[in-house]
Amino acid sequence: MYADWASVREEIQRSTDHESVLTLSFPTSVGKEVAGSVVHYLAFMVGKNNDDNEPSSLTTDTAVKWTMQVLCHGLTLPMTDYETVRECVNIYCEWLMCLTSPKKCVPIPILEDPNSYSQDILKHLSNIFVPRRDQDQLSRQAMLCHRVLKTVQHSATTSEIITDQTWDCLLRFLLVINDVLLSPPAEKDSIGSQLCERVLSVLFEIWILACCRCFPSPPLWKTLKEMCSGWRHHEALVMQWHRVNVAFTLRLLKVIYGNSARGLQLSEDEEKLIPEGISNECIIQCWFRFLHILGNPVELSRPSVIANTPKFLHMAITSEIPIEPEEHECLKNLPNIFYRAMRSVAFVADAFLGISQRDAADVDWLMSSLSSRQGDLSAVPNTSTPPSHRRPKPPFHLPHVAKVVKDSGPRPNLSETWAGPSFAAFAPIMSNAASDNGALSPSRPTVNSLLHLLGSWLLEASLVGVRVYGSTAKDGGRGSFDAGYEMGRAQGCGTLCRIFCSHKTGESVASIYTSRFYISLYYGLQVFSDMKTIPVVLASVISNASDLLRLDLEGVHVLLPQLLSALEDLQPRFRYKHDNVDEDLDLRHASIHLLLSAICLPLQFGNLPIRAILDDQRMDPAVTFISLKKRLADLLQKMLTSETDSVNTQMLLGGLVVCVHDQALYEEAIGDQNETTDSVQDLFGMATALVCRCLTASWKTDLNCALAAMEVLSAFARIKMKNPNALHCKRIINWICEFVSSQCSRPAPAHSKDLHSMIVMAFRCLTVWLMEHDYLMQDKECLHIVLQVVELGVSGSMSQPKASSVPRFKGDKELKPVSLRVRDAAEVLLATIIDYVGSFPPPCGPESLCTLLDEESLIKHCSKKKMADSSLPDAGLPFQYFVIDGSTIVGLLEQPLGGGDETLPTVTAIVRGAFGRHAWTMQLRHHPRSFQRDPKSESVNPVISSIEPKIPPRIQHQYFPEIVQQIPPVLADQSIPRLESTMSEYQPELSKLQSLIAAQVQFEQACIQNHAKQRKPVPKCTKPSSCQEFQSARLFLTHYGFLTLDGLKTGSMSGMMPSLVRLNSSDSNLWNDLKQLDCLSVRTADTVYLFYVKTGQSKLTDILQNVTQRCSVQGQFLEFLRSLGWPVDVEEHSGWNGSVATSWKAKGSRAKDKTYPSDTGGSLYDGGQQVLYWSDVSTEVAFVVPSPSTHLSSIESEKSCIQAAGSATSSGDNSALVKCKSLSLELEGVPTDAGPPVRPKRTGRSGASAITSDVHVMVVWLESYEDHLSFPLLDAQKACQLSKTNAVPLSSSQKNINTNQTCVVFVHPLRNGLFRIHLQAQQSRVSEAVPLVDGMVVSRRLLGHLVRQTAINIFRRRQLDSEQYQPPHVRRKMKIKDIVEKYECKLTEPEFFASLFQDTIVNKQQTVAD
């Protein structure tokens, strides 16, 4: 910079302007006597003149100059003549004030020409700073020096008459005194040690002031740089240099980027450092010049270079004890100075990148920790001020320092370096952590720009103490190396990593920089077995390079083997949580980020070899990507087993899913050509067993870990494999059931919302496993275990906890579930097992778990034309509605449907319950359907009735068994008299009876004879006509056991309704409420919105326009859309389509030859014509791609609806308001034309009745990763809300968009074919879901699966955390209860039975109710 300019250093050092005639021409005693006499008199006169306000007696130029020669000599006197020296300083300080506010005591010649005399005064005052031999008077000399510095600084700051020559003399004066004090080797308790920080601060502050008022000449700049190179053994110089760098760098950023750039602010001290009114050009010049004022800061790691000065050489020659210059005691502080210098360089880089800085007190703490680790440094002088007792205490404990044994082997010199303290001790001073990289400024400079500025220093610092392969110099050109320099080297490596990790999409980096950077990391990632703790350089690299594998840096994958080896060596060295202090947490977090970035690389590149960085024959040969897969999986398993932090554990669980699922899809794609050693079955078995063991052992008390484990197990259940291990899957079911049982059996104080959330998630996980592996339900043992857990969830206890226990019956158990949420989850699992396991999807497709038939569609098929042509509810409801057990509404239609045998009793039932709507048609048959009746069989054997006289057989009555006659009589048999013996007593009566019998016999015989004579033929017997009118509803209720006397009785408890209740079908409002019930889906319904952002876009209108044309989006984006779900037509789809108004409607027949535009970039799925749909037994998800047309129509519809509602309110007409509200999310209490709105009654748990979740999940495809910082999140949220509500006016609660309820998944395609994931969500008590985690890199085949599953898990977690969320079947239960309370017919038992035969009773009941 100053090569063409000559330095004035020698001129300054050889100048004699500061010497006096008394000093040169007279003996010391004479000069001392003259100076004493003159100075005392002058001091007396100065004081008197000040008091009396009289002018000085020195009125001529000659007198003043002679007096100044005396004063100059007085300033050279030893401190034993302190009074004389002090008075000389006072006189000169008073005279020097002529530049600002002159006093009467100042001689007239000085007042007339202040600049000329001030220059001479400054030259003379330099004598006071010359070190004296009398060390006991140091404090007095320091006090006088402080007085001079204060006066000089005040004059320079406040004076407005200083000329350019005076500024030049002032700067030379400061250079002289600093060189006198600082150039010699620092000694303990020397004047230079005491004044070091003060003289340097005055030098830099006045120099900056001079830059504003009279910019120093290039020779002076060059002189300053040369002299500073001789002062670098003082720590205070680097501190002041850092202070100036901070101030000018932040001001420079404001000049370049504006006042609001990067949010960095100057402190009060830094604001004062730069004077007001300084020009932008001056700031730029000063910043660059001060940045290079120390030369190369890496030279601070070379004592031989620092000691190569005349003062050090003079010290070595004149020292009593022979010593090499680089072995001086003061140079033992160079490691600390080197670290401070590199930290200042790191600050400049971080400021340009937009990274916030740590507190400066951390540096002081670091210095103490470095000093404490070496016992031989106790004698190092404290070369900085203020003294140690006035410095702030360190905010952290001092780290434990490990000692390592040097290895004399031939390996690189890094093995001889100090292992250093643990990373946790240095974590506060690391400028950047893995989680902070997302805060980089979008307007940051390119990597090349920063490396042009700082690259040579940083790249050289990153190899300090390293014997680079191929280098001829040993130890980097030094004879010995202090391990303390590792801290400065760590700063250099960390800063390089941060700079390269700031790489922007599409940015090119010079190959010379990338190659040197990779070499630096190659040596920085080395770990040797003799290192007992984590090397600080490695810790710095790992913590700052977490984004390295996520960037499109050319050739970055050559570092993969070294990174993997470093992570493998670090894993056993990590110290995990102990006494609530997790020392290595941040480093483990960064290590996990690197691992997740590399997990998909082996299968992505297969057998592609990884080139070695160095051509060293001793190193391992080139490896392939696929050979690293097993090592990555093993490392993932080890880290997951040992990890104690919840966030890190969830990240590892997400990586585990990616590892197994990617292997499964890879094997499915290549078939039998498996190139890997581990199959998906092996990985699957290892992963599931590991998760289950950790879940039951250590994660059962951690909510987030337990939820993540259940999500991971659910993801494993969905992985498709050939010939899955049924025994292992059964074991997983047993593990989950044991987890539920153990959690439910915990003591009452342990039960909380978090515990119940874990149990609920476990039931959901069981649901997924049983649906995906339905063959498990064929196993009796597995079925028994699952049903036991369901029973535990529903009732709170098991009927038979052990096989040896006596089972308890249902009636003997107390219904006491763990919680209502747990009971609801268990009911869902039970319903799934009964209804859907092995039978999903149903015949109507996965879009609907319920029948698509309703009353309207059934009536159209009714055999009676009059009824088929009628519309509901105008013609009334021909259905009879009954409520069974207060939870199931059964609608019975007694009219037969067409196409069947109408002569049989037929009933069509629509059953609405908590788990859906089902339709059944039943006929009462007495023959099987295969029975064929012959119509001619009636005349083949006609039945003829005839009465033929018949002779009745003679029957001999026997009153006792025959065996009685064989029993010999005994005397007891004669105790009862025989009948013949009593006839004599009743002979008249017997005779009368005999005559009556005889008369009757004669009469009957006469009648028979007369009938025989008058007999006529009997008509033929014919079959009665079949009944055409049946009371099928009564038959149905009776045959199924619902119609009983006990079922019609009201329960003993007050308010308990009968088990069978009839609803008033004649009420037309019943049909509206039933339709509202049908709109309550039995599954959760959620919507994911997708956006495509081109490079540089930040407006929503521009973003929505991208998807209108195929040529505007990348082909990978369209492929990604198709992997999320299958397209469905909104008009024909009967499931969830993203809009409440059009979802869950029974659609008509599909339109034929319907065409869709084929040249769109995804706008086809905007919800106008199609959406992407995916569903399973418990979840429906609609993927919507908003487009300009739907967004514009939503806004217009909202405006028109608001206008209509406003006009209706003013005119009193509520029809428009009703129309708008009928489309809102709230389905409860919607007003109709039939009457005023009915406020819904809440029973049981209160909660929101909204159908869909309030959480917004957006997936944003980024062409440029940096655009995630400028994505218009608030505008996108409003667009999503309008789309969901079908453009109705938002309620007051909906208008207040809450960004905390939004999760954005950013997807950025990399050039290597992988995809970088960035999650943006507000941290909550329940952290974000897996398997996707922030910073993960996934493959193309995994992207759609993981995004969809993560979105579903996000919805589920927010539902668990919400106090007002209710499961779908619970909302349906509450709605059914509301319908029963509203339309129940209050009938007595006789009236109920009578109503089954006739409708008059019901009509009468309705009349009474009206």
Side-chain angles (χ1 to χ4, degrees):
M1 186 189 310
Y2 310 107
D4 298 334
W5 298 93
S7 172
V8 295
R9 179 179 182 180
E10 293 185 3
E11 177 185 345
I12 293 175
Q13 292 177 344
R14 295 178 181 178
S15 175
T16 59
D17 294 340
H18 63 286
E19 296 181 356
S20 172
V21 176
L22 294 177
T23 305
L24 298 175
S25 304
F26 296 92
T28 306
S29 59
V30 175
K32 178 178 179 181
E33 184 177 355
V34 172
S37 302
V38 174
V39 168
H40 290 311
Y41 173 75
L42 286 175
F44 172 75
M45 293 304 297
V46 167
K48 182 180 180 181
N49 294 339
N50 285 336
D51 295 338
D52 300 340
N53 197 17
E54 296 180 359
S56 173
S57 59
L58 301 175
T59 58
T60 64
D61 182 70
T62 304
V64 173
K65 288 185 177 181
W66 183 86
T67 305
M68 292 178 65
Q69 289 293 320
V70 176
L71 293 173
C72 178
H73 178 72
L75 292 172
T76 62
L77 295 176
M79 285 295 108
T80 52
D81 299 316
Y82 173 73
E83 293 297 329
T84 303
V85 177
R86 180 175 62 84
E87 290 174 351
C88 290
V89 171
N90 292 338
I91 293 171
Y92 264 161
C93 288
E94 291 291 340
W95 290 2
L96 195 60
M97 294 300 291
C98 66
L99 295 173
T100 56
S101 54
K103 299 181 180 179
K104 290 289 186 180
C105 64
V106 180
I108 296 176
I110 297 178
L111 294 176
E112 293 176 350
D113 190 7
N115 281 283
S116 176
Y117 282 99
S118 297
Q119 295 171 19
D120 294 335
I121 292 174
L122 290 174
K123 295 173 184 178
H124 295 170
L125 283 174
S126 61
N127 293 322
I128 192 62
F129 293 90
V130 177
R132 268 62 170 179
R133 293 183 180 275
D134 42 355
Q135 295 292 326
D136 55 338
Q137 301 291 332
L138 282 179
S139 58
R140 289 188 170 185
Q141 183 182 3
M143 183 176 63
L144 296 177
C145 292
H146 279 291
R147 169 75 190 279
V148 173
L149 291 173
K150 182 179 180 181
T151 304
V152 170
Q153 188 172 16
H154 175 73
S155 300
T157 305
T158 60
S159 178
E160 297 180 356
I161 62 173
I162 299 179
T163 62
D164 294 350
Q165 291 78 12
T166 305
W167 276 112
D168 184 83
C169 183
L170 177 59
L171 296 181
R172 289 170 180 257
F173 161 75
L174 295 174
L175 289 174
V176 168
I177 64 174
N178 276 273
D179 192 59
V180 168
L181 293 173
L182 304 181
S183 59
E187 299 289 344
K188 187 177 182 181
D189 297 330
S190 64
I191 187 63
S193 300
Q194 297 223 1
L195 296 177
C196 179
E197 184 174 351
R198 177 61 175 161
V199 293
L200 284 170
S201 64
V202 173
L203 169 64
F204 281 106
E205 290 173 10
I206 294 181
W207 199 284
I208 295 172
L209 185 63
C211 293
C212 179
R213 299 183 181 180
C214 178
F215 199 83
S217 61
L220 280 179
W221 280 102
K222 187 172 184 178
T223 305
L224 175 63
K225 182 178 180 180
E226 290 180 354
M227 287 189 170
C228 284
S229 64
W231 310 335
R232 290 182 294 184
H233 56 284
H234 291 277
E235 185 178 347
L237 174 64
V238 178
M239 294 176 62
Q240 291 298 324
W241 179 62
H242 173 69
R243 176 169 168 250
V244 173
N245 282 339
V246 170
F248 274 107
T249 301
L250 297 186
R251 287 292 295 271
L252 177 68
L253 292 177
K254 290 185 178 181
V255 171
I256 299 176
Y257 302 105
N259 294 329
S260 60
R262 291 161 171 75
L264 301 175
Q265 296 182 353
L266 290 170
S267 64
E268 183 178 354
D269 178 63
E270 293 163 350
E271 286 284 358
K272 295 179 179 179
L273 186 61
I274 301 179
E276 297 181 359
I278 188 170
S279 64
N280 293 341
E281 180 64 26
C282 185
I283 289 176
I284 297 173
Q285 289 291 332
C286 291
W287 170 78
F288 188 79
R289 293 168 189 261
F290 276 113
L291 181 63
H292 294 82
I293 209 69
L294 292 187
N296 185 359
V298 184
E299 292 179 352
L300 290 168
S301 64
R302 302 167 186 166
S304 59
V305 176
I306 302 301
N308 189 21
T309 63
K311 295 293 184 179
F312 273 90
L313 295 176
H314 178 73
M315 176 274 305
I317 295 174
T318 59
S319 176
E320 298 179 357
I321 302 175
I323 185 175
E324 293 294 332
E326 61 268 18
E327 294 180 1
H328 194 274
E329 284 292 323
C330 68
L331 297 183
K332 292 186 177 180
N333 196 39
L334 280 183
N336 298 349
I337 301 174
F338 175 57
Y339 168 75
R340 286 185 179 273
M342 295 311 303
R343 190 172 185 271
S344 183
V345 175
F347 169 84
V348 175
D350 292 342
F352 277 101
L353 295 177
I355 300 173
S356 60
Q357 300 300 307
R358 306 288 186 179
D359 189 0
D362 299 337
V363 182
D364 297 328
W365 162 78
L366 173 66
M367 299 303 106
S368 301
S369 66
L370 287 176
S371 300
S372 65
R373 65 178 176 83
Q374 297 180 355
D376 56 344
L377 294 185
S378 58
V380 175
N382 188 359
T383 60
S384 62
T385 54
S388 58
H389 66 275
R390 288 167 50 191
R391 299 177 192 167
K393 294 183 179 180
F396 303 97
H397 67 283
L398 296 181
H400 170 70
V401 180
K403 301 289 185 180
V404 297
V405 181
K406 293 183 179 180
D407 188 3
S408 59
R411 64 189 182 190
N413 192 34
L414 185 62
S415 63
E416 302 174 4
T417 61
W418 168 61
S422 67
F423 172 76
F426 302 99
I429 62 167
M430 293 299 178
S431 299
N432 187 33
S435 59
D436 295 333
N437 284 345
L440 296 176
S441 171
S443 57
R444 62 185 179 273
T446 62
V447 175
N448 281 340
S449 297
L450 281 177
L451 293 180
H452 291 336
L453 177 67
L454 307 172
S456 60
W457 296 345
L458 295 174
L459 290 169
E460 187 178 355
S462 64
L463 294 176
V464 167
V466 177
R467 186 187 299 119
V468 181
Y469 173 75
S471 175
T472 57
K474 296 183 179 180
D475 295 334
R478 296 181 286 111
S480 60
F481 174 64
D482 190 343
Y485 294 106
E486 287 292 279
M487 284 302 303
R489 181 188 169 207
Q491 274 291 347
C493 291
T495 306
L496 278 176
C497 292
R498 293 195 295 275
I499 291 176
F500 275 90
C501 287
S502 68
H503 176 269
K504 297 180 182 179
T505 305
E507 178 184 344
S508 61
V509 183
S511 58
I512 184 63
Y513 289 140
T514 55
S515 59
R516 293 188 63 183
F517 172 63
Y518 296 157
I519 292 175
S520 298
L521 288 196
Y522 172 80
Y523 288 104
L525 290 170
Q526 292 184 1
V527 183
F528 300 101
S529 58
D530 57 359
M531 294 182 179
K532 304 303 181 183
T533 57
I534 301 173
V536 66
V537 176
L538 176 61
S540 178
V541 171
I542 296 298
S543 63
N544 291 284
S546 57
D547 284 340
L548 198 60
L549 297 179
R550 306 167 186 162
L551 305 173
D552 284 326
L553 282 174
E554 185 177 0
V556 70
H557 294 143
V558 298
L559 293 171
L560 184 58
Q562 284 71 31
L563 282 170
L564 182 56
S565 299
L567 294 179
E568 290 173 337
D569 292 332
L570 278 179
Q571 198 277 329
R573 290 177 169 84
F574 284 142
R575 289 180 286 187
Y576 293 89
K577 190 172 183 179
H578 179 69
D579 295 335
N580 295 325
V581 178
D582 204 345
E583 297 180 345
D584 298 329
L585 176 61
D586 292 335
L587 182 57
R588 298 201 311 270
H589 187 74
S591 302
I592 294 171
H593 271 287
L594 280 171
L595 181 60
L596 296 183
S597 302
I599 202 79
C600 289
L601 290 176
L603 294 181
Q604 178 70 12
F605 296 105
N607 288 321
L608 186 68
I610 304 175
R611 296 187 60 181
I613 295 180
L614 302 178
D615 240 352
D616 193 349
Q617 300 297 330
R618 297 172 297 176
M619 298 180 183
D620 295 335
V623 298
T624 60
F625 281 93
I626 199 67
S627 64
L628 301 177
K629 185 180 186 310
K630 180 173 176 55
R631 292 172 60 188
L632 286 169
D634 293 342
L635 178 61
L636 181 62
Q637 178 185 2
K638 292 177 182 178
M639 296 182 74
L640 184 59
T641 304
S642 306
E643 188 55 61
T644 57
D645 180 68
S646 177
V647 176
N648 289 350
T649 300
Q650 294 180 79
M651 294 173 62
L652 290 170
L653 287 173
L656 195 63
V657 175
V658 172
C659 182
V660 179
H661 201 171
D662 196 27
Q663 179 70 27
L665 295 179
Y666 176 77
E667 292 185 5
E668 181 181 355
I670 66 173
D672 297 332
Q673 302 175 357
N674 191 357
E675 302 174 1
T676 60
T677 56
D678 291 339
S679 64
V680 66
Q681 283 82 2
D682 298 333
L683 287 175
F684 180 83
M686 177 273 296
T688 52
L690 175 62
V691 172
C692 290
R693 286 197 302 268
C694 293
L695 176 63
T696 56
S698 56
W699 298 342
K700 58 185 178 181
T701 57
D702 190 323
L703 172 64
N704 291 322
C705 287
L707 297 183
M710 292 301 172
E711 291 166 355
V712 168
L713 291 176
S714 300
F716 286 155
R718 292 187 169 95
I719 296 177
K720 305 299 180 183
M721 297 181 297
K722 293 182 179 179
N723 304 320
N725 190 337
L727 182 60
H728 185 72
C729 295
K730 177 182 175 182
R731 193 178 297 117
I732 295 173
I733 297 295
N734 292 344
W735 267 324
I736 300 175
C737 293
E738 289 177 2
F739 174 79
V740 174
S741 301
S742 63
Q743 296 292 73
C744 291
S745 60
R746 294 181 65 181
H751 282 258
S752 62
K753 177 183 177 180
D754 292 350
L755 177 67
H756 298 158
S757 296
M758 299 181 201
I759 301 174
V760 170
M761 188 61 79
F763 276 115
R764 292 179 179 174
C765 183
L766 281 174
T767 302
V768 175
W769 270 94
L770 297 180
M771 289 300 300
E772 298 292 336
H773 302 267
D774 53 355
Y775 56 87
L776 294 174
M777 289 293 92
Q778 305 299 325
D779 186 284
K780 293 184 179 180
E781 182 181 359
C782 184
L783 178 61
H784 177 72
I785 293 174
V786 172
L787 292 181
Q788 270 193 323
V789 171
V790 171
E791 180 189 13
L792 175 64
V794 173
S795 64
S797 60
M798 295 183 182
S799 298
Q800 193 175 12
K802 299 180 180 179
S804 58
S805 303
V806 179
R808 290 185 300 168
F809 294 103
K810 177 180 177 180
D812 299 335
K813 290 175 56 178
E814 181 182 2
L815 188 62
K816 192 176 181 181
V818 175
S819 73
L820 295 181
R821 289 199 302 154
V822 173
R823 184 195 66 183
D824 295 339
E827 289 177 349
V828 172
L829 176 58
L830 180 61
T832 303
I833 294 174
I834 295 174
D835 294 339
Y836 306 116
V837 170
S839 59
F840 181 85
C844 55
E847 61 189 24
S848 178
L849 297 181
C850 308
T851 179
L852 300 180
L853 296 173
D854 59 1
E855 285 81 352
E856 288 182 334
S857 58
L858 288 176
I859 288 177
K860 292 179 180 179
H861 294 84
C862 186
S863 59
K864 290 188 177 181
K865 189 175 185 305
K866 179 179 180 182
M867 183 176 295
D869 295 338
S870 62
S871 60
L872 297 177
D874 297 337
L877 291 176
F879 286 78
Q880 300 181 49
Y881 290 95
F882 301 89
V883 180
I884 299 172
D885 294 331
S887 60
T888 305
I889 298 178
V890 180
L892 300 178
L893 176 64
E894 295 182 336
Q895 302 300 328
L897 303 178
D901 189 355
E902 299 183 2
T903 61
L904 298 177
T906 303
V907 63
T908 301
I910 296 183
V911 182
R912 290 180 173 90
F915 295 97
R917 180 185 65 199
H918 307 278
W920 297 88
T921 297
M922 292 159 280
Q923 287 184 331
L924 179 61
R925 288 178 172 272
H926 296 281
H927 295 286
R929 292 183 181 274
S930 59
F931 175 77
Q932 296 292 334
R933 179 182 299 173
D934 189 359
K936 299 180 180 180
S937 61
E938 299 180 358
S939 59
V940 173
N941 295 315
V943 179
I944 301 175
S945 176
S946 61
I947 300 178
E948 298 292 340
K950 294 183 178 180
I951 299 175
R954 299 181 62 87
I955 300 175
Q956 183 178 2
H957 298 283
Q958 188 173 356
Y959 303 102
F960 298 98
E962 296 179 355
I963 193 174
V964 175
Q965 303 298 331
Q966 300 177 4
I967 299 175
V970 294
L971 294 177
D973 295 335
Q974 299 178 1
S975 61
I976 301 175
R978 297 177 62 85
L979 182 60
E980 292 80 359
S981 63
T982 59
M983 292 179 60
S984 58
E985 298 179 4
Y986 304 98
Q987 188 61 39
E989 290 82 356
L990 291 175
S991 300
K992 186 177 180 180
L993 179 60
Q994 290 177 352
S995 61
L996 291 175
I997 293 174
Q1000 182 64 25
V1001 171
Q1002 292 179 357
F1003 176 76
E1004 290 180 356
Q1005 289 179 351
C1007 290
I1008 292 174
Q1009 292 176 359
N1010 292 334
H1011 178 72
K1013 293 179 180 180
Q1014 300 176 359
R1015 184 175 59 181
K1016 296 180 180 180
V1018 180
K1020 180 180 178 181
C1021 182
T1022 59
K1023 181 181 70 172
S1025 60
S1026 299
C1027 180
Q1028 300 296 325
E1029 297 292 337
F1030 301 97
Q1031 295 165 346
S1032 305
R1034 175 178 56 83
L1035 297 177
F1036 170 81
L1037 296 175
T1038 303
H1039 294 169
Y1040 280 90
F1042 299 132
L1043 187 59
T1044 61
L1045 292 176
D1046 294 336
L1048 299 178
K1049 295 180 180 179
T1050 304
S1052 59
M1053 297 178 62
S1054 60
M1056 185 178 238
M1057 64 178 61
S1059 60
L1060 182 63
V1061 174
R1062 182 161 188 165
L1063 301 181
N1064 185 8
S1065 303
S1066 61
D1067 194 335
S1068 59
N1069 292 329
L1070 175 61
W1071 172 239
N1072 295 328
D1073 286 337
L1074 291 176
K1075 288 195 296 184
Q1076 291 181 15
L1077 176 62
D1078 293 338
C1079 287
L1080 294 178
S1081 176
V1082 297
R1083 296 179 286 187
T1084 58
D1086 300 297
T1087 307
V1088 178
Y1089 299 91
L1090 298 104
F1091 300 88
Y1092 186 96
V1093 181
K1094 297 179 72 69
T1095 303
Q1097 290 183 339
S1098 59
K1099 294 183 179 180
L1100 183 62
T1101 54
D1102 298 336
I1103 294 173
L1104 297 181
Q1105 191 67 32
N1106 295 331
V1107 296
T1108 57
Q1109 295 181 355
R1110 180 185 291 268
C1111 61
S1112 299
V1113 299
Q1114 298 173 344
Q1116 293 173 324
F1117 175 69
L1118 297 177
E1119 179 183 340
F1120 166 64
L1121 291 181
R1122 290 189 289 268
S1123 67
L1124 293 173
W1126 55 90
V1128 295
D1129 191 283
V1130 174
E1131 296 179 356
E1132 301 172 357
H1133 183 57
S1134 58
W1136 171 247
N1137 57 29
S1139 176
V1140 178
T1142 58
S1143 299
W1144 304 300
K1145 307 295 184 186
K1147 304 299 191 297
S1149 59
R1150 299 182 181 272
K1152 296 182 179 180
D1153 301 332
K1154 194 171 184 178
T1155 59
Y1156 303 100
S1158 59
D1159 59 344
T1160 66
S1163 60
L1164 176 61
Y1165 311 120
D1166 59 0
Q1169 288 182 297
Q1170 287 187 345
V1171 294
L1172 294 169
Y1173 177 80
W1174 184 90
S1175 66
D1176 62 5
V1177 74
S1178 59
T1179 302
E1180 291 182 281
V1181 184
F1183 297 91
V1184 180
V1185 184
S1187 66
S1189 58
T1190 55
H1191 181 56
L1192 182 61
S1193 61
S1194 299
I1195 295 176
E1196 292 177 352
S1197 300
E1198 183 192 20
K1199 291 180 180 179
S1200 61
C1201 202
I1202 293 176
Q1203 293 174 358
S1207 59
T1209 304
S1210 60
S1211 61
D1213 183 11
N1214 295 329
S1215 59
L1217 186 61
V1218 169
K1219 182 178 179 181
C1220 294
K1221 287 188 176 181
S1222 63
L1223 299 178
S1224 67
L1225 285 172
E1226 301 292 333
L1227 296 181
E1228 303 280 359
V1230 177
T1232 62
D1233 296 336
V1238 179
R1239 183 170 182 173
K1241 297 179 180 179
R1242 297 293 183 188
T1243 57
R1245 288 171 292 168
S1246 62
S1249 60
I1251 297 175
T1252 60
S1253 175
D1254 291 335
V1255 181
H1256 291 101
V1257 175
M1258 304 178 191
V1259 179
V1260 182
W1261 187 280
L1262 300 173
E1263 287 187 358
S1264 176
Y1265 179 75
E1266 291 72 28
D1267 290 333
H1268 77 274
L1269 297 173
S1270 58
F1271 179 72
L1273 180 58
L1274 187 59
D1275 294 339
Q1277 282 181 301
K1278 293 179 180 179
C1280 296
Q1281 189 70 21
L1282 287 175
S1283 175
K1284 182 184 294 186
T1285 58
N1286 200 28
V1288 300
L1290 303 180
S1291 63
S1292 58
S1293 60
Q1294 294 169 346
K1295 286 182 180 179
N1296 299 325
I1297 302 295
N1298 186 5
T1299 56
N1300 295 342
Q1301 296 295 327
T1302 300
C1303 180
V1304 186
V1305 181
F1306 293 100
V1307 179
H1308 170 58
L1310 302 175
R1311 289 190 302 176
N1312 58 12
L1314 300 177
F1315 298 87
R1316 180 179 181 179
I1317 304 298
H1318 173 60
L1319 296 181
Q1320 178 178 323
Q1322 186 72 21
Q1323 290 294 332
S1324 60
R1325 191 181 63 88
V1326 178
S1327 61
E1328 295 309 322
V1330 295
L1332 286 182
V1333 296
D1334 185 25
M1336 180 177 285
V1337 177
V1338 300
S1339 64
R1340 177 180 176 184
R1341 51 182 167 264
L1342 271 181
L1343 183 60
H1345 299 277
L1346 297 182
V1347 169
R1348 179 180 60 244
Q1349 194 58 45
T1350 302
I1352 293 174
N1353 292 338
I1354 289 173
F1355 290 124
R1356 299 295 84 80
R1357 285 211 184 188
R1358 295 299 175 88
Q1359 291 167 1
L1360 286 176
D1361 193 42
S1362 175
E1363 295 287 348
Q1364 297 182 342
Y1365 171 75
Q1366 292 175 335
H1369 75 283
V1370 174
R1371 293 199 299 265
R1372 291 182 63 87
K1373 280 183 180 180
M1374 296 180 64
K1375 183 63 180 177
I1376 291 174
K1377 188 173 182 180
D1378 292 342
I1379 292 175
V1380 173
E1381 293 178 355
K1382 188 175 180 181
Y1383 301 103
E1384 178 185 4
C1385 292
K1386 302 292 185 180
L1387 301 176
T1388 62
E1389 296 177 22
E1391 290 175 341
F1392 188 93
F1393 280 104
S1395 66
L1396 296 176
F1397 293 91
Q1398 56 184 356
D1399 296 335
T1400 56
I1401 299 297
V1402 179
N1403 295 334
K1404 177 182 177 182
Q1405 178 71 23
Q1406 176 63 23
T1407 303
V1408 174
D1410 294 341

